[in-house]
Amino acid sequence: DADIAMYRAKESGRTSMIFDRQMHQEIVEAINLEADLRAALERDELLLHYQPIVDVQSGRIEGFEALVRWDHPDRGLVPPVRFIPLAEETGLILPLGRYVISEACRQMRDWQLAMPEAANLSVSVNVSCRQFVKDGLVDHVAGVLAETGLAPACLKLEITESVLMHDAQHTAGELNRLKALGVKIAIDDFGTGYSSLSYLRQLPIDHLKIDRSFISGDDCNGESQEIVKSIIALARSLGLTVIAEGVEHQDQLDKLRFADCDKAQGFMFSRPVDKDAALNLLREAVNGGCGCGMQEQAK
Ligand code: C2E
Ligand code: MG
Ligand code: MG
Ligand code: MG
């Protein structure tokens, strides 16, 4: 028995040593990544990709969501899941977020000026909790709009329900100020949060983005379909526009069209692409099709 106990102690000692080493690795990795991210902001290694948002009935591109990428010298193109949480923890989300807002607005204004057909396109930008809490977000947005000349209604800020839950009163104030500027507000990943729905009536919200898990996620099923219908009905009664995220297949789009969903976004139309490819999507759309694999419906 003593031997067994000793053996167990050794074993657990060994596993905890392995565990420590792994934890150590992760901490070192996180520290490296943080230092890298700090430098990345200075070295201009961040860039935006753009994913079209399409009108479900007409098939036209209505706008793009700007999604940040990090072009790391060694790691290649790093997706946001790898560095946004870190940026939020370290406060780097503040300069990062400012960069994303100005770059997205500048880019959209460029496209609008370059193509008359793009004049009414909008750009959607994700905004983190921390940007709301601290950063003079509203003043920054107002400054960027003035500087770029982008019409306020062409900028949509995407926030998750967690932002609303964090400091509801402060956030409500900020949202009202954004609304007064003419900027649009979308609730991102709608249906995955835990907040009460009463905020939808109280806050100046324009759009609901139905979370991808209900459209093409691993557990999207008959129930998801019902949830999608309920969200659309809810949005209708509140006068909000609905955008379905993560549309990958024609049958998903067909269901959304049948359910009278307003807009859709997903790999079916296009993955997020760099600015040149996004411009090409717009050009293709102008030259006949809609540029998003929906030529059939658009006719
Ligand atoms: P999100 O705002 O919900 O963005 C949609 C994500 O779903 C994007 O991932 C997009 O590539 C992905 N997606 C779009 N269509 C499909 C589809 O049909 N199938 C599948 N499987 N995925 C699809 P991405 O670009 O990796 O961004 C992930 C998340 O990172 C975003 O989720 C957003 O929460 C965050 N994020 C991205 N850019 C920014 C940013 O500039 N600032 C902040 N604060 N967060 C950002
Ligand atoms: Mg989003
Ligand atoms: Mg989303
Ligand atoms: Mg998300």
Side-chain angles (χ1 to χ4, degrees):
D1 283 0
D3 279 348
I4 290 173
M6 179 73 93
Y7 175 76
R8 288 215 176 114
K10 265 194 191 159
E11 269 304 284
S12 69
R14 197 171 299 147
T15 42
S16 87
M17 225 172 76
I18 292 168
F19 182 63
D20 285 349
R21 201 174 290 152
Q22 194 180 329
M23 258 180 56
H24 176 78
Q25 278 288 318
E26 279 168 18
I27 291 167
V28 169
E29 170 84 355
I31 292 169
N32 286 339
L33 206 64
E34 179 185 342
D36 275 13
L37 185 57
R38 220 171 269 282
L41 280 158
E42 281 151 27
R43 285 196 223 119
D44 255 0
E45 288 170 9
L46 297 179
L47 69 152
L48 299 183
H49 276 188
Y50 297 89
Q51 187 178 34
I53 298 173
V54 170
D55 181 278
V56 167
Q57 303 302 333
S58 71
R60 281 202 197 91
I61 298 177
E62 299 268 295
F64 289 91
E65 178 171 3
L67 295 154
V68 71
R69 303 288 183 261
W70 176 6
D71 192 5
H72 190 282
D74 314 317
R75 299 169 204 250
L77 212 59
V78 186
V81 283
R82 294 281 311 284
F83 64 93
I84 289 287
L86 180 75
E88 284 171 343
E89 274 166 38
T90 55
L92 288 170
I93 194 70
L94 300 180
L96 187 156
R98 280 194 295 271
Y99 161 78
V100 173
I101 292 171
S102 20
E103 178 62 15
C105 290
R106 193 197 54 72
Q107 181 63 74
M108 183 45 73
R109 184 60 180 152
D110 276 4
W111 284 332
Q112 292 182 342
L113 291 173
M115 302 175 72
E117 297 85 354
N120 294 318
L121 292 187
S122 60
V123 69
S124 304
V125 174
N126 296 284
V127 178
S128 287
C129 196
R130 197 124 169 210
Q131 293 173 265
F132 260 92
V133 178
K134 283 195 90 164
D135 198 33
L137 176 70
V138 184
D139 292 337
H140 181 248
V141 167
V144 167
L145 292 172
E147 228 169 81
T148 58
L150 186 74
C154 293
L155 175 62
K156 297 181 178 172
L157 298 183
E158 299 192 357
I159 59 176
T160 56
E161 289 170 85
S162 60
V163 174
L164 303 175
M165 282 159 74
H166 185 80
D167 182 349
Q169 217 175 352
H170 172 76
T171 306
E174 296 296 277
L175 289 178
N176 284 321
R177 291 177 63 207
L178 288 166
K179 185 72 189 176
L181 286 179
V183 170
K184 304 292 180 189
I185 308 291
I187 304 297
D188 205 351
D189 306 339
F190 187 76
T192 60
Y194 296 96
S195 60
S196 102
L197 292 177
S198 59
Y199 75 85
L200 290 176
R201 267 189 297 123
Q202 289 151 13
L203 298 175
I205 289 156
D206 303 284
H207 311 285
L208 298 183
K209 296 190 78 171
I210 305 177
D211 191 68
R212 177 160 62 83
S213 57
F214 302 112
I215 311 292
S216 59
D218 291 337
D219 45 27
C220 84
N221 48 29
E223 262 170 45
S224 301
Q225 190 60 30
E226 289 308 308
I227 293 172
V228 168
K229 284 185 197 158
S230 314
I231 294 175
I232 294 172
L234 175 70
R236 284 285 164 278
S237 69
L238 293 167
L240 309 177
T241 311
V242 193
I243 302 154
E245 297 192 278
V247 181
E248 296 183 350
H249 304 295
Q250 182 68 47
D251 64 312
Q252 292 158 354
L253 179 65
D254 291 341
K255 284 183 191 139
L256 289 166
R257 189 181 293 122
F258 186 72
D260 202 25
C261 183
D262 302 292
K263 293 172 196 181
Q265 176 181 355
F267 294 171
M268 177 183 166
F269 309 108
S270 167
R271 289 185 176 255
V273 293
D274 68 26
K275 60 178 170 27
D276 299 328
L279 181 60
N280 280 336
L281 284 176
L282 283 176
R283 291 218 176 97
E284 283 168 31
V286 171
N287 298 324
C290 74
C292 277
M294 280 188 52
Q295 284 82 351
E296 285 313 305
Q297 286 83 35
K299 274 175 196 161

